[in-house]
Short mmCIF file of all heavy atoms in Angstrom, two decimals:
data_model
loop_
_atom_site.label_atom_id
_atom_site.label_comp_id
_atom_site.label_asym_id
_atom_site.label_seq_id
_atom_site.Cartn_x
_atom_site.Cartn_y
_atom_site.Cartn_z
N VAL A 99 13.87 -13.49 107.77
CA VAL A 99 14.57 -13.13 108.98
C VAL A 99 15.79 -14.09 109.19
O VAL A 99 16.87 -13.66 109.54
CB VAL A 99 13.62 -13.17 110.23
CG1 VAL A 99 14.39 -12.95 111.50
CG2 VAL A 99 12.57 -12.02 110.08
N MET A 100 15.56 -15.35 109.03
CA MET A 100 16.56 -16.34 109.36
C MET A 100 17.36 -16.84 108.17
O MET A 100 18.20 -17.71 108.32
CB MET A 100 15.92 -17.54 110.09
CG MET A 100 15.16 -17.16 111.29
SD MET A 100 16.19 -16.40 112.58
CE MET A 100 16.97 -17.80 113.23
N GLY A 101 17.04 -16.30 107.00
CA GLY A 101 17.70 -16.86 105.77
C GLY A 101 19.21 -16.84 105.85
O GLY A 101 19.74 -15.84 106.25
N PRO A 102 19.84 -17.88 105.45
CA PRO A 102 21.27 -17.94 105.56
C PRO A 102 22.00 -17.00 104.60
O PRO A 102 23.08 -16.56 104.87
CB PRO A 102 21.63 -19.41 105.33
CG PRO A 102 20.52 -19.91 104.56
CD PRO A 102 19.29 -19.17 104.94
N THR A 103 21.39 -16.76 103.41
CA THR A 103 22.09 -15.88 102.47
C THR A 103 21.16 -14.73 102.08
O THR A 103 20.00 -14.72 102.32
CB THR A 103 22.43 -16.65 101.20
OG1 THR A 103 21.21 -17.08 100.54
CG2 THR A 103 23.32 -17.87 101.48
N LYS A 104 21.80 -13.72 101.44
CA LYS A 104 21.01 -12.58 101.01
C LYS A 104 20.04 -13.00 99.89
O LYS A 104 18.98 -12.43 99.78
CB LYS A 104 21.97 -11.50 100.44
CG LYS A 104 22.80 -10.87 101.55
CD LYS A 104 23.78 -9.84 100.91
CE LYS A 104 24.69 -9.32 101.99
NZ LYS A 104 25.68 -8.39 101.40
N GLY A 105 20.44 -13.97 99.07
CA GLY A 105 19.50 -14.42 98.03
C GLY A 105 18.26 -15.04 98.61
O GLY A 105 17.18 -14.83 98.02
N ASP A 106 18.37 -15.81 99.68
CA ASP A 106 17.20 -16.37 100.34
C ASP A 106 16.25 -15.30 100.83
O ASP A 106 15.06 -15.35 100.68
CB ASP A 106 17.59 -17.27 101.45
CG ASP A 106 18.32 -18.53 101.02
OD1 ASP A 106 18.01 -18.93 99.84
OD2 ASP A 106 19.03 -19.09 101.78
N ARG A 107 16.85 -14.28 101.43
CA ARG A 107 16.08 -13.18 101.97
C ARG A 107 15.39 -12.42 100.81
O ARG A 107 14.19 -11.99 100.90
CB ARG A 107 16.91 -12.20 102.76
CG ARG A 107 17.42 -12.85 104.05
CD ARG A 107 18.19 -11.88 104.86
NE ARG A 107 18.48 -12.53 106.12
CZ ARG A 107 19.73 -12.69 106.60
NH1 ARG A 107 20.77 -12.26 105.93
NH2 ARG A 107 19.92 -13.31 107.73
N MET A 108 16.10 -12.20 99.69
CA MET A 108 15.52 -11.48 98.56
C MET A 108 14.36 -12.26 97.95
O MET A 108 13.30 -11.67 97.65
CB MET A 108 16.64 -11.30 97.54
CG MET A 108 16.23 -10.55 96.32
SD MET A 108 15.76 -8.91 96.74
CE MET A 108 14.57 -8.55 95.51
N ILE A 109 14.52 -13.57 97.86
CA ILE A 109 13.45 -14.44 97.29
C ILE A 109 12.25 -14.37 98.24
O ILE A 109 11.09 -14.27 97.80
CB ILE A 109 13.93 -15.85 97.07
CG1 ILE A 109 14.92 -15.85 95.88
CG2 ILE A 109 12.76 -16.80 96.76
CD1 ILE A 109 15.63 -17.16 95.66
N GLY A 110 12.53 -14.44 99.54
CA GLY A 110 11.42 -14.34 100.51
C GLY A 110 10.65 -13.06 100.46
O GLY A 110 9.38 -13.09 100.51
N ILE A 111 11.36 -11.97 100.25
CA ILE A 111 10.68 -10.68 100.14
C ILE A 111 9.83 -10.62 98.85
O ILE A 111 8.70 -10.12 98.86
CB ILE A 111 11.73 -9.54 100.19
CG1 ILE A 111 12.32 -9.42 101.57
CG2 ILE A 111 11.10 -8.22 99.79
CD1 ILE A 111 13.50 -8.52 101.68
N ASN A 112 10.35 -11.15 97.76
CA ASN A 112 9.63 -11.17 96.53
C ASN A 112 8.32 -12.04 96.66
O ASN A 112 7.24 -11.62 96.12
CB ASN A 112 10.47 -11.74 95.38
CG ASN A 112 11.32 -10.66 94.77
OD1 ASN A 112 10.96 -9.53 94.82
ND2 ASN A 112 12.40 -11.12 94.20
N ILE A 113 8.46 -13.17 97.35
CA ILE A 113 7.27 -14.01 97.51
C ILE A 113 6.23 -13.31 98.38
O ILE A 113 5.02 -13.37 98.09
CB ILE A 113 7.71 -15.41 98.14
CG1 ILE A 113 8.52 -16.20 97.12
CG2 ILE A 113 6.51 -16.15 98.58
CD1 ILE A 113 9.13 -17.42 97.72
N ILE A 114 6.70 -12.62 99.43
CA ILE A 114 5.75 -11.90 100.25
C ILE A 114 5.06 -10.84 99.48
O ILE A 114 3.85 -10.64 99.60
CB ILE A 114 6.47 -11.35 101.50
CG1 ILE A 114 6.89 -12.46 102.44
CG2 ILE A 114 5.56 -10.32 102.25
CD1 ILE A 114 7.79 -12.07 103.57
N GLY A 115 5.82 -10.12 98.63
CA GLY A 115 5.17 -9.08 97.79
C GLY A 115 4.15 -9.65 96.85
O GLY A 115 3.08 -9.08 96.64
N THR A 116 4.50 -10.77 96.23
CA THR A 116 3.54 -11.39 95.26
C THR A 116 2.31 -11.87 96.01
O THR A 116 1.15 -11.71 95.52
CB THR A 116 4.23 -12.59 94.57
OG1 THR A 116 5.42 -12.06 93.96
CG2 THR A 116 3.32 -13.17 93.56
N LYS A 117 2.48 -12.49 97.14
CA LYS A 117 1.33 -12.99 97.91
C LYS A 117 0.46 -11.81 98.41
O LYS A 117 -0.79 -11.88 98.42
CB LYS A 117 1.79 -13.83 99.04
CG LYS A 117 2.22 -15.18 98.62
CD LYS A 117 2.67 -16.02 99.78
CE LYS A 117 3.18 -17.32 99.24
NZ LYS A 117 3.45 -18.27 100.31
N THR A 118 1.07 -10.69 98.70
CA THR A 118 0.31 -9.53 99.11
C THR A 118 -0.60 -9.00 97.97
O THR A 118 -1.71 -8.63 98.17
CB THR A 118 1.29 -8.42 99.61
OG1 THR A 118 2.05 -8.97 100.69
CG2 THR A 118 0.50 -7.22 100.06
N MET A 119 0.00 -9.05 96.78
CA MET A 119 -0.80 -8.64 95.61
C MET A 119 -2.00 -9.53 95.43
O MET A 119 -3.11 -9.09 95.15
CB MET A 119 0.08 -8.63 94.38
CG MET A 119 1.05 -7.46 94.30
SD MET A 119 1.95 -7.43 92.76
CE MET A 119 3.02 -8.84 92.85
N VAL A 120 -1.79 -10.79 95.61
CA VAL A 120 -2.89 -11.78 95.40
C VAL A 120 -3.92 -11.56 96.53
O VAL A 120 -5.12 -11.58 96.24
CB VAL A 120 -2.39 -13.21 95.49
CG1 VAL A 120 -3.53 -14.21 95.50
CG2 VAL A 120 -1.47 -13.50 94.29
N ILE A 121 -3.50 -11.23 97.72
CA ILE A 121 -4.43 -10.99 98.83
C ILE A 121 -5.30 -9.73 98.57
O ILE A 121 -6.46 -9.72 98.71
CB ILE A 121 -3.69 -10.82 100.19
CG1 ILE A 121 -3.24 -12.23 100.63
CG2 ILE A 121 -4.57 -10.21 101.25
CD1 ILE A 121 -2.33 -12.18 101.82
N ILE A 122 -4.63 -8.73 97.98
CA ILE A 122 -5.36 -7.49 97.68
C ILE A 122 -6.33 -7.80 96.54
O ILE A 122 -7.50 -7.32 96.61
CB ILE A 122 -4.37 -6.38 97.28
CG1 ILE A 122 -3.54 -5.92 98.47
CG2 ILE A 122 -5.16 -5.15 96.77
CD1 ILE A 122 -2.44 -5.01 98.13
N ALA A 123 -5.97 -8.57 95.56
CA ALA A 123 -6.87 -8.87 94.43
C ALA A 123 -8.09 -9.70 95.01
O ALA A 123 -9.20 -9.50 94.56
CB ALA A 123 -6.15 -9.66 93.38
N LEU A 124 -7.79 -10.70 95.84
CA LEU A 124 -8.89 -11.48 96.42
C LEU A 124 -9.83 -10.60 97.28
O LEU A 124 -11.06 -10.80 97.24
CB LEU A 124 -8.31 -12.63 97.25
CG LEU A 124 -7.67 -13.79 96.45
CD1 LEU A 124 -7.04 -14.78 97.41
CD2 LEU A 124 -8.71 -14.47 95.59
N THR A 125 -9.23 -9.67 97.97
CA THR A 125 -10.09 -8.76 98.75
C THR A 125 -10.96 -7.90 97.83
O THR A 125 -12.15 -7.65 98.09
CB THR A 125 -9.19 -7.80 99.64
OG1 THR A 125 -8.37 -8.62 100.47
CG2 THR A 125 -10.01 -6.92 100.48
N SER A 126 -10.42 -7.57 96.69
CA SER A 126 -11.20 -6.85 95.67
C SER A 126 -12.40 -7.71 95.24
O SER A 126 -13.52 -7.15 95.09
CB SER A 126 -10.31 -6.49 94.44
OG SER A 126 -11.10 -5.96 93.46
#
Side-chain angles (χ1 to χ4, degrees):
V99 173
M100 304 299 284
T103 64
K104 293 177 183 176
D106 291 335
R107 292 185 174 122
M108 182 64 209
I109 291 171
I111 290 171
N112 276 334
I113 291 172
I114 290 171
T116 303
K117 288 181 180 186
T118 302
M119 287 186 290
V120 173
I121 288 172
I122 294 171
L124 287 174
T125 304
S126 173

